[in-house]
Amino acid sequence: MAQIGYSKKVMEHFMNPRNVGVIENPDGYGQVGNPVCGDLMEIFITVKEDKIDDIKFRTFGCGSAIAVSSMVTEMAKGKTLDEAMLITRKDVAEELGGLPPQKMHCSNLGADALHAAIKNYWVKIGKIKQEEVKEESHEGEGGESCGT
Ligand code: FES
């Protein structure tokens, strides 16, 4: 298999992912699919005093997607919901020390699933309306398939 240059951090999060699992009756739940490869990520959050108190993920995807999920949950835990909404796909990839170009699309799911979970919570508490929850764009960040 060709060596495509994963950072140490990606490997470490893939081998030892943080916050794996499911939260029963979460305050917020987000699920996104990656249109490039069909992989799927779910994020569950509980909220206390407007902060992410607990967060877990379940990812049916490649190693990079698992590393991204692990990293995004670590970045988001303890942050206020507004702060967590500012975490971008690029931030997650950068925190991981970068991803190989052909795996950049795998970094899309993390921030998108996190934002979906927060919006789900906001709909539940009446802060926003369901109609305001629109899919985040999956365009423009490494569109090519990685073939896994
Ligand atoms: Fe599907 Fe990486 S997220 S191949």
Side-chain angles (χ1 to χ4, degrees):
M1 198 172 91
Q3 173 56 263
I4 56 173
Y6 289 114
S7 73
K8 272 203 183 103
K9 234 169 172 183
V10 170
M11 288 311 293
E12 205 265 311
H13 275 267
F14 171 57
M15 302 300 280
N16 180 27
R18 280 58 139 188
N19 305 309
V20 179
V22 169
I23 298 173
E24 298 297 336
N25 304 315
D27 294 320
Y29 168 74
Q31 183 197 68
V32 290
N34 192 330
V36 178
C37 61
D39 289 350
L40 193 73
M41 185 182 300
E42 296 171 293
I43 285 190
F44 307 78
I45 56 170
T46 58
V47 180
K48 221 179 245 171
E49 287 164 9
D50 211 40
K51 288 194 175 131
I52 296 185
D53 187 48
D54 199 10
I55 181 162
K56 295 246 187 285
F57 78 87
R58 191 159 62 168
T59 291
F60 303 92
C62 70
S64 298
I66 289 166
V68 162
S69 318
S70 172
M71 179 52 86
V72 79
T73 58
E74 233 181 23
M75 289 167 78
K77 199 166 186 175
K79 284 206 164 60
T80 67
L81 299 178
D82 286 332
E83 285 165 352
M85 281 302 282
L86 296 177
I87 296 173
T88 64
R89 301 162 170 183
K90 198 163 154 262
D91 295 337
V92 181
E94 277 174 11
E95 275 296 312
L96 281 169
L99 281 166
Q102 64 271 49
K103 300 298 282 185
M104 273 314 281
H105 72 93
C106 311
S107 70
N108 294 351
L109 294 182
D112 292 359
L114 172 67
H115 297 168
I118 294 169
K119 286 179 188 166
N120 174 248
Y121 171 70
W122 279 343
V123 168
K124 276 192 196 170
I125 63 167
K127 182 172 167 159
I128 58 171
K129 293 200 176 65
Q130 184 64 45
E131 305 85 77
E132 293 172 55
V133 181
K134 44 180 192 308
E135 282 252 346
E136 296 192 28
S137 164
H138 292 277
E139 303 302 315
E141 286 167 72
E144 68 277 39
S145 169
C146 67
T148 58

